Amino acid sequence: MSSHAQIPSILRGLSIAVLVNFAAGGGRARTYLPRIRRLFESAQMAAEFVLTKSAEDLEARALDAILDKYQVLVVMGGDGTFQVLANAACEADVLLGVLPVGGGNDFSAALGFPSDPVKAAEVLLQGQERRVDLVRARAANGQERLYAGGGGVGLDAEAARFANRGYRHLPGRSRYIAAALRALASYEPVEVKLDFPGSDLSSIRSKALLAGVLNTPTYGAGVRLAPEAAIDDGSLDVVVIEDLSFMGVLALLPRLMGSGELRTSRVRRCQAQRVRLSTDRPCLFHGDGEILGPTPVEIEVVPRGIRVLAAARC
């Protein structure tokens, strides 16, 4: 973007805070921060860059920015970082944005942003406002949390635990697939039951590798688990992958690593507004790669729950 680029009226004159998560994506924010700062300056956007050191710190800084009447809050991070922002700002009349520097950036991809953080910043500065859905999950321990992209139980929740520990250094999708293979080595499929309160959908019972409830078409850094999902359709996309052998999972890897497509007859999908997910043994539910709490979990869509900056539609 040149210094003479025209910034759309949606951002002109608004107060902007950019919250930087230095822990996201193995520290990728440090690499891209100088160039993104210069990009905002060349576009004559007076943004306040706020450096944070943890999720708790970022949430506190976001709440401070809301109290200070900032009109636009942007995070540099991944899906988990945006989840923190969404929970902090869900009751506030602020415009939210995300620049993808995390390990998984599926929500920003659903908003139309490229994976390169600097190019994403160029698109964001010329973006448009959209109202999009969120997902509210209430775990058995009373913990309630909003998430923006994908959540679930089973192998993916176990993989999320590994991805947030020893595999943080790996880039993008390879981080989640490596973590899933590590988890698969000791994983026992779980009996899941999905009920759909308030609808005429029949319950689903299955011995499953994973059961996911998604708002975005992808999760795990681009795995196309719910290709028909849309972030503003007022629906949740429910996906159950029935039990697969270790070799069956390995057979899926080439396509997963390439296009992110999941092609197997062992997938069941449906759409709903509310889901109750229970399991035959204690299991943890994750949202956006962050562990939210134990099953059973009550999940519901929050239609058009937040205002976000998205790529301008042609």
Side-chain angles (χ1 to χ4, degrees), residues 131-143:
R131 277 209 172 262
V132 301
D133 305 334
L134 290 173
V135 186
R136 179 180 291 113
R138 185 179 299 106
N141 61 0
Q143 171 83 354

Side-chain angles (χ1 to χ4, degrees), residues 19 26 41 53 66 106 110 140 149 157 161 166 169 198 205 246 260 274 289 293 297 312:
L19 307 169
E41 290 167 1
K53 56 183 182 294
I66 292 168
D106 297 283
R161 295 171 61 194
H169 64 287
R205 292 178 180 268
F246 188 84
R274 296 176 63 198
V297 183

Side-chain angles (χ1 to χ4, degrees), residues 60-215:
R61 298 298 188 94
L63 291 170
D64 287 344
I66 292 168
L67 289 175
D68 290 339
K69 305 299 183 184
Y70 279 90
Q71 296 159 296
V72 183
L73 301 184
V74 177
V75 287
M76 287 182 63
D79 293 335
T81 305
F82 186 81
Q83 181 192 119
V84 173
L85 178 62
N87 279 272
C90 62
E91 301 295 332
D93 184 24
V94 292
L95 184 59
L96 306 182
V98 57
L99 295 175
V101 297
N105 302 297
D106 297 283
F107 186 68
S108 67
L111 293 173
F113 292 115
S115 59
D116 179 88
V118 177
K119 292 179 180 177
E122 293 177 354
V123 173
L124 180 138
L125 288 173
Q126 301 177 77
Q128 65 180 20
E129 178 180 328
R130 283 180 67 183
R131 277 209 172 262
V132 301
D133 305 334
L134 290 173
V135 186
R136 179 180 291 113
R138 185 179 299 106
N141 61 0
Q143 171 83 354
E144 185 175 300
R145 194 78 173 165
L146 296 167
Y147 65 91
V153 299
L155 181 66
D156 59 334
E158 292 300 306
R161 295 171 61 194
F162 287 110
N164 289 328
R165 296 176 185 173
Y167 295 88
R168 296 185 67 89
H169 64 287
L170 294 176
R173 196 178 309 154
S174 61
R175 170 188 175 191
Y176 290 93
I177 291 177
L181 289 174
R182 171 64 181 84
L184 185 63
S186 58
Y187 180 71
E188 290 292 332
V190 61
E191 288 282 349
V192 300
K193 181 172 184 281
L194 297 114
D195 297 301
F196 307 99
S199 82
D200 57 2
L201 290 171
S202 299
S203 298
I204 295 175
R205 292 178 180 268
S206 178
K207 187 175 185 180
L209 193 67
L210 67 86
V213 182
L214 287 83
N215 187 37

Side-chain angles (χ1 to χ4, degrees), residues 41-71:
E41 290 167 1
S42 68
Q44 299 180 339
M45 298 300 296
E48 177 76 17
F49 283 78
V50 181
L51 311 184
T52 69
K53 56 183 182 294
S54 67
E56 294 77 15
D57 185 30
L58 190 144
E59 186 161 2
R61 298 298 188 94
L63 291 170
D64 287 344
I66 292 168
L67 289 175
D68 290 339
K69 305 299 183 184
Y70 279 90
Q71 296 159 296

